[in-house]
Amino acid sequence: MQDQRKEEVKKYHIITFGCQMNLSDSERMASVFESMGFHPAPLVDEADLIAINMCSVRQSAVDRIFGLSKKFLEMKKEKGTIFVLTGCILESDKKKFKIFDYILNKDDMHQWPSVLSGSLIKESEYDYLKINPKRTSSFQGFVPISNGCDNFCTYCAVPYTRGRLVSRNHQDIIKEIQELTRNNYKEIWLLGENVNSYVSPTNNQINFAELIREIDKIPGDFWLRFTSPHPKDFSDDLIDALVHCSKFAPYINLPAQSGDDTILRRMNRPYTKQKYLDLLDRIKMTFQKNRKGLEGRISISTDIIVGFPGETDEQFQNTADLFKKARFDMAFIAQYSPRPESHCYKNMPDDVKKADKRSRHKELTALLINIGNEENKAFQDKIIPVLVFEQYKGYYLGRNRHNKAVKINSKQEGLVGQIINVRVTKTMPLSLEGVLSEHED
């Protein structure tokens, strides 16, 4: 009876590191575990099985797993907890973690129930993205359109952890989005390491621009976003598709990584600073000409690495100049750290001092704040639609169509997951604040 009861209440807990692709993968993992009879455990301590969805792309995730090792060992000894490691894992990192009972490839996810029961992995061409995910949100949906990357940027480990680029059948993508819209999802993210290199494997006429056009035909009131594109694949046809897609919310994350041409070449990023700025100008001008009001003001964020091997003060200043000219709405700034198996790790010494990396990070952040303080004034006193994500005591947090964080001062109940109109009463460098409004601009 006791064994039977234990079987009935076995629970799983997933810890996810990394990007939105990993979050999406974790939703499919949850579906697999529940098909095995496991129930979700809100807390790690309650779980009989713990899966770590790993990200070797950043050292910080590796360090955090090491930090959890002592606790995991105690759980294994006290209650026999099963530990599974999966996700984006470098071969060198797999060898470091001895605590895990299983190290499983996400591509074999459909075989996990058999493996956890003692069987061996069999060769299969089944696409794990066909597994129906257990959504963690009732209003924000992540839809992978491709997996892997062929760009081989010299600092990056993604091709070594996720493999070469494989695009998903466009019909499966459309079907998944239609299911989300039937369930009244308000925001849909298209995911891929390089989304705009997408080409459907069943119809090579369906590239990323055409996929956007097909999605725009799907009935429903939802915001469409995507991450992450590559500047080299951002065609004028894609710009045209985006500006005329009514569902596309005016926000693009367009990773520059550096503003210095020499550093860009050493990164294997096949564009120059000027070509990047020219692309931004075409995007911004197209939206200004074809959309009205704030919809014509597209929000641009970027990814930047400071302290790349050999980066001089002068080369860094070219990146600072890029900030001043591009006037980014947001920037995700990383201090370079070598990733095993990448070209940089093998061939370029990490020779920029940590103090210089920190000071360069700080300088770009200061620039970002100054620019944001000026640019966000365009939203002052405007009435904007906001998708509400979280409720706190006396206020909510959400994001507008430009993906800007918005604090909404309201005690009204039941707004989470809704798109509401907010009148902006205060602008800050990286966020907005406002109150509910019954009107639209």
Side-chain angles (χ1 to χ4, degrees), residues 268-279:
N268 195 29
R269 304 285 289 185
Y271 52 86
T272 63
K273 171 185 173 182
Q274 190 55 52
K275 285 184 178 179
Y276 181 91
L277 288 170
D278 290 345
L279 173 59

Side-chain angles (χ1 to χ4, degrees), residues 386-413:
V386 176
L387 175 58
V388 182
F389 282 85
E390 298 173 283
Q391 181 179 13
Y392 295 89
K393 190 173 182 179
Y395 69 94
Y396 289 88
L397 291 180
R399 288 190 176 270
N400 72 342
R401 281 177 58 82
H402 297 77
N403 206 31
K404 292 183 179 291
V406 183
K407 179 182 178 182
I408 309 113
N409 294 307
S410 174
K411 294 181 180 180
Q412 184 173 323
E413 294 295 323

Side-chain angles (χ1 to χ4, degrees), residues 306-307 313 352-361:
V306 295
D313 288 338
V352 179
K353 296 177 181 178
K354 289 184 178 180
D356 290 338
K357 292 178 184 179
R358 288 194 295 269
S359 66
R360 291 171 187 179
H361 191 159

Side-chain angles (χ1 to χ4, degrees), residues 159-198:
Y160 309 101
T161 58
R162 281 194 171 266
R164 303 297 293 268
L165 177 73
V166 179
S167 292
R168 191 179 176 195
N169 187 332
H170 69 282
Q171 294 169 325
D172 290 341
I173 296 167
I174 297 297
K175 183 180 178 181
E176 187 168 340
I177 294 173
Q178 288 172 333
E179 178 67 21
L180 290 170
T181 61
R182 281 194 291 270
N183 287 287
N184 204 28
Y185 273 67
K186 301 296 193 302
E187 182 181 77
I188 296 172
W189 283 84
L190 306 180
L191 304 182
E193 280 74 30
N194 186 12
V195 288
N196 53 338
S197 63
Y198 173 86

Side-chain angles (χ1 to χ4, degrees), residues 208-226:
F208 189 56
E210 288 304 315
L211 180 66
I212 294 292
R213 294 184 176 108
E214 290 299 312
I215 293 170
D216 198 40
K217 297 175 185 176
I218 298 174
D221 183 16
F222 60 91
W223 298 355
L224 181 66
R225 305 190 193 274
F226 59 83

